[in-house]
Amino acid sequence: MRLACIGTGFVGVVTAAVFAKLGNTVVGLDIDEGKIAKLKQGIVPFFEPGLSELLVETQKTGNLTFTTSYAEAISSAEVIFIMVGTPSAPDGQADLQYVFASVEALAPHLIDGAIVVIKSTVPPGTNDKVKELIGAKTKVSFEVASVPEFLKEGTAVEDTLHPDRIILGVELGHAKETLTKLHEPLTQNFIVMKPASAQMCKYASNNYLATRITFINQIADLCEQNDADVEEVIRGMGADRRIGSHYWYPGLGYGGSCFPKDVKEIAAYAQHVGESDSLFIKIDLLNSTRIPKLMAKYDQLVGGFAGKTVAILGLSFKKNTNDTREAPAEYVISWLRAHQALVKTADPQVPADTLDPYQAATGSHVVMLLVEWDEYLKLDLTKLASVMKTPKYFIDTRNQYDPAAVSAAGLKYQGVGR
Ligand SMILES: NC(=O)c1ccc[n+]([C@@H]2O[C@H](COP(=O)([O-])OP(=O)(O)OC[C@H]3O[C@@H](n4cnc5c(N)ncnc54)[C@H](O)[C@@H]3O)[C@@H](O)[C@H]2O)c1
């Protein structure tokens, strides 16, 4: 099939490369000329395991090309995926300006029968506006469908090659048949529904996962009031098959490019429709106040951060990505600087002037583990203690270390909820 992928960010490049690998002819399009220039040379402009190899392979076969020209990308495309960003507007609602700009730009070049698929996370009702915008600029027949994306940065290639399911938000027409055929090599698990349901499904999924993180943080805070260890609580609770042991991450709260904005959008939507006691309004608030709350607690613990040096291990929003959007590090570092601490940083993938963990720890009074990169899970704790300055606190915000082992190495351990 001939495809166009609009927006060559985290979702767009992975989607384009995977469909090209399946034998489709794919054109990736972006308005960012720098990004397209890099992609044309086979360089992925961000870190995502396995993606560089896939990009080079599919470019060699000629199945994947890149352009900044809408005329070039759209004028032969049977299916067009829209994968541009949908950040939060100041009021929390999804800012759809990039979606609408891409739709207006593609409309004049559509071929008859083309299917425009919204993969960006957008609120229900967006497709009506998209249809209106396209209809005003073309006389050809077209369809608009919603196929929300569920990949996770860090495992995006795997997730796209082996999705749990494909949600097809389609109306009447040939979109269902064409999109099923296109995705069939990836899964047999298609769930067909109305576009608005597909869009709500994406928001519901991310809001549920964000709620799980907030829930376990609430339990962790209560554990700290007694002798309970939240990691033991998770083991016991997770064995209940109704609950499951996966996706429990007590820590500094959820971050990244999706959860914060998707919770904000649903919270804003709830307010807008008069559901002012919505759970999601509270989840958003609890997450926004989580880091300042914990930092105030750690401040007391270490005897005040002012004048101390703090080593931050991990600057991305999670491991195996260099995406720093809404990463805890951003908030922790600005909090520390505002409280007169000196900050040193380390990260395996976020470049600039970062150090290795031992260099960062040298002369530091406190080490804070913010991201569980594999290389940070096997630290030589005795070496770490030997280069640090008293009081030698090891704040493990990911609960990755055995508190007793850290203490035995001569460090003072602080986890979350234990
Ligand atoms: N990143 C994720 O893990 C993830 C997962 C699932 C869903 N999503 C959703 O997918 C969408 C894209 O996310 P992302 O992380 O890939 O975004 P991104 O910011 O990495 O990439 C978006 C790209 O769109 C380009 N763009 C903006 N306006 C354009 C236009 N008019 N024409 C062509 N290109 C344009 C930008 O230059 C950028 O390269 C968002 O709605 C997001 O919520 C993201």
Side-chain angles (χ1 to χ4, degrees):
M1 240 175 255
R2 295 187 310 276
L3 314 178
C5 288
I6 302 185
T8 57
F10 286 85
V11 173
V13 179
V14 176
T15 305
V18 164
F19 278 125
K21 186 181 169 63
L22 298 180
N24 299 288
T25 304
V26 185
V27 183
L29 176 142
D30 207 289
I31 47 168
D32 184 332
E33 291 181 1
K35 229 176 223 183
I36 291 296
K38 278 195 173 155
L39 287 164
K40 279 183 172 174
Q41 295 168 45
I43 301 166
V44 180
F46 48 86
F47 174 70
E48 183 60 46
L51 186 55
S52 291
E53 296 84 333
L54 193 60
L55 180 70
V56 170
E57 178 193 328
T58 48
Q59 281 179 309
K60 264 197 193 135
T61 61
N63 284 355
L64 180 57
T65 54
F66 291 96
T67 183
T68 53
S69 157
Y70 271 89
E72 186 185 330
I74 308 299
S75 56
S76 63
E78 297 158 273
V79 178
I80 297 132
F81 286 104
I82 296 183
M83 296 172 284
V84 299
T86 48
S88 286
D91 65 356
Q93 288 189 53
D95 179 354
L96 299 178
Q97 61 167 309
Y98 306 106
V99 172
F100 296 145
S102 66
V103 163
E104 296 215 60
L106 71 84
H109 309 289
L110 278 184
I111 60 170
D112 199 40
I115 301 166
V116 177
V117 181
I118 314 282
K119 247 176 139 41
S120 297
T121 304
V122 297
T126 303
N127 290 21
D128 294 336
K129 177 78 177 161
V130 167
K131 277 187 258 179
E132 191 186 310
L133 289 173
I134 298 178
K137 293 206 166 183
T138 182
K139 293 271 175 285
V140 302
S141 75
F142 64 91
E143 284 184 60
V144 178
S146 286
V147 181
E149 180 54 62
F150 293 93
L151 65 74
K152 304 179 290 300
E153 287 174 29
T155 53
V157 173
E158 260 315 286
D159 293 345
T160 308
L161 285 168
H162 307 287
D164 292 339
R165 76 308 204 186
I166 295 290
I167 305 279
L168 291 183
V170 288
E171 292 169 299
L172 293 177
H174 71 285
K176 179 182 160 194
E177 196 188 324
T178 305
L179 294 176
T180 303
K181 206 167 138 203
L182 181 64
H183 289 87
E184 240 163 15
L186 301 173
T187 183
Q188 296 300 309
N189 190 13
F190 292 96
I191 307 175
V192 181
M193 58 185 73
K194 293 187 271 191
S197 305
Q199 289 155 345
M200 273 311 284
C201 187
K202 173 65 192 173
Y203 278 113
S205 301
N206 277 1
N207 276 262
Y208 173 72
L209 295 171
T211 302
R212 240 172 119 108
I213 291 172
T214 308
F215 172 88
I216 204 63
N217 282 337
Q218 297 277 294
I219 297 292
D221 288 353
L222 298 181
C223 287
E224 289 192 6
Q225 299 299 319
N226 50 60
D227 194 31
D229 180 333
V230 72
E231 295 300 330
E232 294 183 343
V233 174
I234 288 170
R235 264 198 285 141
M237 185 176 65
D240 185 326
R241 272 174 292 177
R242 293 170 304 175
I243 299 172
S245 53
H246 64 288
Y247 218 82
W248 293 120
Y249 298 116
L252 296 183
Y254 57 81
S257 64
C258 289
F259 288 4
K261 80 174 175 64
D262 292 350
V263 175
K264 281 187 194 307
E265 159 63 20
I266 286 300
Y269 182 73
Q271 285 280 19
H272 178 69
V273 298
E275 298 285 343
S276 53
D277 58 353
S278 168
L279 170 68
F280 306 110
I281 297 169
K282 187 71 180 169
I283 298 284
D284 181 37
L285 181 70
L286 286 168
N287 200 63
S288 320
T289 51
R290 177 99 189 129
I291 290 180
K293 178 183 171 185
L294 290 190
M295 291 307 291
K297 201 183 79 172
Y298 298 150
D299 194 47
Q300 289 219 321
L301 177 81
V302 306
F305 280 112
K308 293 203 168 68
T309 303
V310 183
I312 299 293
L313 307 188
L315 300 176
S316 54
F317 86 88
K318 64 173 180 179
K319 74 170 184 171
N320 293 337
T321 181
N322 64 350
D323 193 347
T324 57
R325 290 180 283 185
E326 296 287 322
E330 183 189 331
Y331 295 98
V332 169
I333 292 170
S334 56
W335 192 98
L336 286 167
R337 290 195 173 132
H339 290 76
Q340 287 78 49
L342 185 72
V343 178
K344 295 168 84 180
T345 60
D347 189 281
Q349 283 295 334
V350 180
D353 54 350
T354 55
L355 308 165
D356 84 30
Y358 301 101
Q359 287 171 319
T362 300
S364 292
H365 304 87
V366 181
V367 166
M368 290 187 75
L369 178 70
L370 298 194
V371 182
E372 66 272 35
W373 283 99
D374 288 348
E375 41 272 79
Y376 294 167
L377 301 186
K378 295 168 260 153
L379 293 172
D380 179 340
L381 296 169
T382 311
K383 183 174 169 189
L384 208 63
S386 73
V387 298
M388 286 176 67
K389 277 194 187 154
T390 308
K392 302 190 185 192
Y393 270 100
F394 187 82
I395 301 180
D396 176 9
T397 72
R398 310 303 299 153
N399 285 353
Q400 293 295 318
Y401 278 84
D402 172 13
V406 176
S407 303
L411 296 163
K412 294 193 173 73
Y413 182 84
Q414 175 66 46
V416 177
R418 50 198 331 208

